[in-house]
Amino acid sequence: LVERGGPGPAEHEWFSQWLHEVADDIRTGLMPANVVPALRAAFGEALSADTLQGLSFIKPHGYAGDYEILEKIYLRHVSADPRYRNWDQFFQKQGAVEAVRNRKQYFIELLKDLQDARQADANVGVLDVACGSCRDVLEFLGDRNDERIKFDCLDCDAGAIAHARRLCRGFERQLSFIRANALRFRPTRRYRLIWCAGLFDYLDDAKFAWLLTRLFGFLEDGGELVIGNFSNRNPSRDYMELVGDWYLRHRDAGELVRLATAAGMTPDNIRVGQEACGINLFLHIKQS
Ligand SMILES: C[S@@+](CC[C@H](N)C(=O)[O-])C[C@H]1O[C@@H](n2cnc3c(N)ncnc32)[C@H](O)[C@@H]1O
């Protein structure tokens, strides 16, 4: 498969199935876990920085799921090089990748609802935690510019902040960029909406509960905290883990609600939404 330049569209299904079988065999002990490095080595240049799966594996920014790979997902990047095109097309066809693109839209819809609901002359504060490239914010502002919605965009990666700043040029009056660790950040104001996608699914339950409680404390009365987390129904999990060395903490809706209630949130104020594929879930918690 590697010699032929990766799976063509007609081979996506069986290649995914093959990855599931290998992952199952490792999980059940039929195959030793040390086949994984050999499997990855067999990819050769197909696991270099010239492919999306290679970027995921190499982690040029030091961690999985960086703003650069997210940008390539949003822009549906596929290599022009015939040696890599099939691999990138396979990557872009992944359910998890579609779910990431859908969650951008989910955030944009939340922002539109916020805009429609706000009183005409009122300012509304939004905190975007782990904002990455801010492509979601940019698309919202490009579509419905509203100077009364003020965004604080926070990320710990200086590269992500620099990229987001460049991308959102022209909207400086509404945007503040903050380079900080979300776990240590202390705001100087309160927010109507706090959005965090692509961070909680890297946290263990203790840190999840701790950060949820902390962010909830930054809401104004009537505000809402929305936390994204990949669900156990992620069909791309085996490909992400085996090939891309990209591990997430998948959680189902029940687990998200349990974590929120165990952290002291009122059950009536909690709901779980999902993007169109049902792969990325969103825990909503209202401050009443
Ligand atoms: C998967 S990306 C998601 C970006 C954006 N929310 C999106 O959906 O496109 C995760 C981002 O979280 C940031 N991040 C990871 N840990 C963080 C932390 N402790 N504090 C702040 N940002 C963090 C990374 O730098 C990266 O930009």
Side-chain angles (χ1 to χ4, degrees):
L1 189 68
V2 170
E3 278 168 12
R4 287 192 287 107
E11 295 170 307
H12 286 185
E13 194 56 48
W14 78 253
F15 182 54
S16 299
Q17 197 48 44
W18 182 79
L19 287 167
H20 293 320
E21 282 168 25
V22 173
D24 276 345
D25 285 354
I26 293 171
R27 277 189 284 268
T28 55
L30 266 177
M31 235 189 240
N34 66 9
V35 298
V36 176
L39 173 77
R40 289 175 183 158
F43 276 80
E45 288 300 301
L47 211 50
S48 73
D50 290 320
T51 61
L52 294 165
Q53 63 195 14
L55 274 181
S56 156
F57 175 65
I58 291 167
K59 303 177 183 53
H61 298 272
Y63 59 92
D66 61 62
Y67 72 93
E68 192 185 346
I69 200 157
L70 271 279
E71 274 291 85
K72 288 190 151 99
I73 287 174
Y74 294 138
L75 300 174
R76 296 177 188 271
H77 166 89
V78 170
S79 172
D81 188 325
R83 288 173 299 170
Y84 307 129
R85 194 182 301 140
N86 277 349
W87 290 114
D88 281 355
Q89 279 170 347
F90 180 71
F91 183 100
Q92 292 287 9
K93 272 277 158 101
Q94 293 302 306
V97 167
E98 199 55 47
V100 165
R101 285 190 285 258
N102 288 344
R103 89 170 173 221
K104 168 164 64 66
Q105 199 52 38
Y106 192 95
F107 184 28
I108 292 171
E109 295 305 322
L110 281 181
L111 292 169
K112 287 183 180 169
D113 290 348
L114 193 70
Q115 187 183 32
D116 294 342
R118 79 165 171 78
Q119 280 154 5
D121 56 350
N123 279 337
V124 173
V126 176
L127 175 64
D128 183 359
V129 180
C131 63
S133 67
C134 282
R135 186 155 293 274
D136 34 22
V137 174
L138 173 74
E139 284 188 17
F140 168 72
L141 291 174
D143 183 32
R144 286 202 187 185
N145 192 3
D146 182 339
E147 296 211 346
R148 292 193 176 273
I149 302 189
K150 309 281 186 196
F151 291 87
D152 283 349
C153 302
L154 178 148
D155 202 286
C156 64
D157 181 342
I161 294 284
H163 183 89
R165 226 186 257 285
R166 272 195 307 277
L167 206 61
C168 298
R169 204 167 279 154
F171 295 106
E172 288 83 358
R173 286 224 292 271
Q174 290 125 283
L175 298 177
S176 300
F177 292 100
I178 305 163
R179 187 189 168 201
N181 183 341
L183 298 160
R184 297 205 199 100
F185 170 66
R186 268 175 206 274
T188 52
R189 53 168 308 185
R190 297 201 170 226
Y191 301 95
R192 179 73 54 83
L193 175 66
I194 301 179
W195 166 261
C196 184
L199 175 57
F200 277 79
D201 28 25
Y202 295 87
L203 304 181
D204 63 26
D205 286 355
K207 283 216 179 71
F208 184 111
W210 187 86
L211 186 58
L212 177 154
T213 310
R214 190 170 165 91
L215 293 178
F216 188 75
F218 303 161
L219 288 173
E220 62 185 33
D221 288 348
E224 188 171 37
L225 169 63
V226 185
I227 290 169
N229 204 115
F230 263 75
S231 82
N232 291 313
R233 283 162 51 194
N234 177 9
S236 315
R237 182 174 185 166
D238 293 334
Y239 172 56
M240 290 168 69
E241 293 183 354
L242 276 180
V243 180
D245 185 33
W246 190 342
Y247 290 85
L248 296 175
R249 289 182 184 259
H250 297 80
R251 295 181 171 100
D252 64 22
E255 275 175 275
L256 293 173
V257 171
R258 254 194 314 283
L259 279 166
T261 41
M265 303 295 133
T266 310
D268 285 351
N269 294 341
I270 302 172
R271 75 177 175 89
V272 178
Q274 58 181 44
E275 45 68 44
C277 303
I279 294 173
N280 207 152
L281 303 178
F282 302 96
L283 173 64
H284 290 242
I285 310 173
K286 274 257 184 215
Q287 162 77 274
S288 52

